[in-house]
C-alpha cells in the first residue's frame, strides 16, 4: 500500500529544530528542578505526570520563551535519580503561532477523541496535541503539546495513555488560567493506535468515508482507500488507490497545522504545483482550515513511475470537495 506523508521542507525543519534545541537545551537533569505544581505557570497536570512515572519523586523545570514571536511555556518532567529514564515535555502556546509541531502536524495521527480537537501519534515517540478555543489569546486559541523521549515499544499501554492525558489535562488547567471559553473534552479513557487501514472503496469508514461513491470510483479506477480513524485530529489524510498503486491523497489541516501549510505553500509555491486547494473559514481556534489534493507519484507494477490517476480537473475538484465536506463537518466547520 502506498503511503504518503505531508511535505516537510528542509528550511522549515531547520528553523523549527533550531528553535526547539534552544528551548529544550535549557534543561539538564542534574540541575535539579522545582515543584510540579509550579511548572508552566501552575498549569502542568501534575497527577498525570506522576501516573506516567508510577509514583516516586519527580523533578521538573519550566521556561517562558519566544516561539515564532509569541510567548510560550515549556515544561520538562523526569524521575529523580533515573538519568536513563524517559523525559516528559510540554509546550503551551497561543494558537496564533503559525508553525505547528508535535502530533498536531502529523497526518498519521489518530484523533484523541472524547470531545477534543486533538491528535495522538507514535512516530516513534508518543506525542499528543490539543487545540482549545480561547478568545483572550492571540489567534483565539490555546495549543498544548505533550511528548516523551522514549520509544513507544519501551513504554506500557498505561504510559502511552498518560501522554495523551498530560496534553488534555494540562490544556484543561491552562484553559482556566487563561480564561478560555472553549468547550473542553473528557479525560481520555484510551488512545487509538490504529495504523493505516486499506479497505475496498465501498467500505471506507474512516478519513475516506463519504469521499467517493462507487460510480465515481469506477470512473476514476479507484478500488481501495488507505485511511486513519475519523474524528477531529488536527491533520488528517485520505488516500485513494488502485490496488497497491497510489492515485491521489487528500490532506486536511486545522489550526496551527493549517497556518503552517499555507505559509509553506506561499513561501515555496513550486512545492504546491499541480495540487488542488481549498480554504474554509471555521470558528474559534481552528481559524481557516486548509485542504489539498495531490496526484500521488508511485511506481506501477509494470515499473513505470509517475502520477497514474486522472488529471481531469473537474473530477479532481469533485473529489476534493467531497473530502472537504466530510472532514470539515466532523470539525464543526461550515460544509457548504
Amino acid at each position: 500500500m502506498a503511503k504518503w506523508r505531508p511535505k516537510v521542507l528542509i528550511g522549515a525543519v531547520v528553523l523549527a529544530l533550531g528553535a526547539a534545541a534552544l528551548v529544550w537545551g535549557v534543561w539538564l537533569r542534574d540541575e535539579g528542578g522545582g515543584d510540579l505544581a509550579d511548572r508552566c505557570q501552575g498549569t502542568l497536570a501534575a497527577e498525570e505526570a506522576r501516573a506516567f512515572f508510577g509514583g516516586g519523586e519527580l523533578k521538573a523545570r519550566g521556561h517562558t520563551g519566544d516561539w515564532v514571536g509569541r510567548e510560550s511555556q515549556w515544561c520538562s518532567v523526569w524521575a529523580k535519580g533515573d538519568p536513563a529514564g524517559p523525559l516528559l515535555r510540554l509546550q503551551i502556546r497561543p494558537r496564533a503561532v503559525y508553525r505547528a509541531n508535535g502530533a498536531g502536524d502529523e497526518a498519521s495521527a489518530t484523533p484523541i477523541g472524547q470531545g477534543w480537537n486533538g491528535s495522538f501519534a507514535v512516530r516513534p515517540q508518543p506525542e499528543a496535541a490539543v487545540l482549545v478555543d480561547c478568545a483572550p489569546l492571540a489567534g483565539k486559541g490555546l495549543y498544548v503539546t505533550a511528548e516523551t523521549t522514549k520509544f513507544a515499544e519501551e513504554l506500557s499501554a498505561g504510559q502511552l495513555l498518560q501522554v495523551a492525558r498530560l496534553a488534555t489535562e494540562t490544556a484543561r488547567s491552562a484553559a482556566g488560567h487563561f480564561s478560555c471559553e472553549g468547550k473542553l473534552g473528557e479525560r481520555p479513557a484510551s488512545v487509538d493506535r490504529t495504523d493505516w487501514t486499506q479497505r475496498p472503496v465501498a467500505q471506507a469508514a474512516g478519513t475516506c468515508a463519504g469521499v467517493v461513491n462507487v460510480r465515481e470510483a469506477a470512473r476514476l479506477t479507484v478500488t481501495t482507500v488507505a485511511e486513519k480513524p475519523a474524528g477531529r485530529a488536527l491533520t488528517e489524510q485520505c488516500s485513494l488507490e488502485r490496488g497497491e498503486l497510489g492515485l491521489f491523497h487528500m490532506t486536511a489541516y486545522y489550526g496551527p497545522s493549517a497556518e503552517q501549510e499555507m505559509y509553506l505553500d506561499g513561501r515555496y509555491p513550486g512545492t504546491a504545483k499541480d495540487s488542488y486547494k481549498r480554504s474554509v473559514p471555521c470558528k474559534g481556534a481552528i481559524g481557516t482550515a486548509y485542504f489539498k489534493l495531490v496526484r500521488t507519484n508511485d511506481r506501477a507494477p509494470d515499473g513505470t513511475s509517475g502520477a497514474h490517476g486522472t488529471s481531469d480537473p473537474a473530477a479532481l475538484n469533485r473529489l476534493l470537495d467531497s473530502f472537504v465536506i466530510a472532514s470539515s463537518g466532523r470539525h464543526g466547520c461550515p460544509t457548504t
Side-chain angles (χ1 to χ4, degrees):
M1 173 174 53
K3 299 186 181 68
W4 179 88
R5 293 165 62 97
K7 71 174 185 296
V8 179
L9 298 175
I10 294 175
V13 171
V14 171
L15 287 173
L17 293 179
L22 288 174
V23 172
W24 291 124
V26 302
W27 294 299
L28 299 175
R29 299 190 191 207
D30 58 5
E31 288 184 354
D35 184 80
L36 292 186
D38 297 330
R39 299 305 97 202
C40 279
Q41 296 182 337
T43 63
L44 186 149
E47 292 307 312
E48 307 298 340
R50 292 189 180 99
F52 176 90
F53 289 102
E57 186 174 355
L58 302 182
K59 292 289 186 178
R61 286 197 180 278
H63 174 70
T64 300
D66 181 276
W67 178 263
V68 198
R70 301 291 180 180
E71 183 178 283
S72 301
Q73 296 284 327
W74 288 266
C75 298
S76 182
V77 183
W78 64 94
K80 182 181 180 180
D82 186 12
L87 186 71
L88 284 178
R89 294 169 172 168
L90 271 167
Q91 186 177 352
I92 303 170
R93 58 179 174 82
R95 151 71 175 78
V97 175
Y98 71 82
R99 189 173 297 148
N101 69 308
D105 188 34
E106 179 56 67
S108 65
T110 55
I112 281 184
Q114 298 297 309
W116 295 94
N117 282 322
S119 303
F120 180 81
V122 179
R123 57 173 192 177
Q125 292 94 341
E127 300 175 334
V130 292
L131 182 65
V132 177
D133 291 347
C134 192
L137 292 179
K140 300 182 179 180
L142 170 71
Y143 185 58
V144 177
T145 64
E147 64 182 19
T148 181
T149 55
K150 286 291 186 180
F151 293 149
E153 58 265 26
E154 300 176 271
L155 301 172
S156 68
Q159 286 176 306
L160 295 176
L161 174 58
Q162 288 308 120
V163 174
R165 287 177 171 175
L166 187 67
T168 63
E169 302 317 297
T170 296
R172 190 184 311 280
S173 180
H177 176 82
F178 292 109
S179 300
C180 301
E181 79 290 353
K183 183 179 179 180
L184 304 176
E186 300 296 325
R187 186 169 179 261
S190 61
V191 290
D192 189 343
R193 296 182 60 194
T194 304
D195 202 352
W196 291 99
T197 301
Q198 189 179 43
R199 295 186 172 101
V201 67
Q203 297 176 21
T207 52
C208 292
V211 172
V212 56
N213 59 39
V214 174
R215 181 177 297 178
E216 184 78 355
R219 282 198 295 264
L220 300 173
T221 65
V222 172
T223 61
T224 52
V225 301
E227 60 181 358
K228 297 287 286 189
R232 286 158 55 186
L234 299 176
T235 303
E236 61 180 21
Q237 191 174 100
C238 164
S239 294
L240 303 180
E241 305 171 344
R242 183 188 307 141
E244 298 293 321
L245 179 67
L247 299 178
F248 321 103
H249 53 261
M250 292 168 286
T251 312
Y253 305 89
Y254 297 91
S257 174
E259 290 292 326
Q260 174 170 277
E261 194 68 13
M262 288 188 287
Y263 165 79
L264 292 174
D265 282 352
R267 181 88 181 260
Y268 308 95
T271 63
K273 188 173 67 172
D274 298 328
S275 62
Y276 292 75
K277 312 176 194 69
R278 296 284 188 279
S279 296
V280 174
C282 303
K283 295 180 180 179
I286 288 179
T288 299
Y290 192 49
F291 305 86
K292 291 173 65 174
L293 180 150
V294 178
R295 297 174 66 215
T296 306
N297 286 309
D298 206 353
R299 184 178 294 276
D302 63 4
T304 59
S305 295
H308 298 279
T310 183
S311 59
D312 176 23
L316 296 178
N317 276 305
R318 285 196 302 271
L319 278 181
L320 183 56
D321 287 341
S322 295
F323 179 64
V324 169
I325 291 171
S327 180
S328 63
R330 289 193 294 269
H331 289 77
C333 301
T335 57
T336 56

